[in-house]
Amino acid sequence: ERGAAREEMAVNYSGDPMSVGFNGGYLTEVLRHLTADPVLVKLNDPTGPAMFVDSEASQRLYVMVRI
């Protein structure tokens, strides 16, 4: 279904402020497979790919490309 939502969360972040957006369904699916708390998210810029890393099992790595 189509729609829009906005969720803000506290994060540990260093760098210039940025806003990013993800498909909620895809994000939920990635987070379902990561067991660590916290999850490490690596971003270069607001429109590029995002890498999600399980901090307890570094071999678990997911990349989401935003188009």
Side-chain angles (χ1 to χ4, degrees):
E1 304 220 9
R2 297 200 181 265
R6 182 181 177 112
E7 184 70 32
E8 294 186 19
M9 63 182 74
V11 298
N12 291 327
Y13 175 74
S14 61
D16 294 330
M18 76 168 93
S19 294
V20 297
F22 298 101
N23 176 297
Y26 294 156
L27 181 60
T28 299
E29 192 62 28
V30 167
L31 295 176
R32 182 185 330 259
H33 294 296
L34 297 173
T35 58
D37 184 15
V39 169
L40 176 63
V41 181
K42 296 183 177 187
L43 304 163
N44 283 330
D45 59 63
T47 60
M51 184 168 57
F52 295 80
V53 181
D54 191 322
S55 60
E56 295 174 0
S58 60
Q59 71 275 12
R60 290 188 190 160
L61 166 65
Y62 298 88
V63 177
M64 288 182 62
V65 178
R66 290 171 281 197
I67 53 174

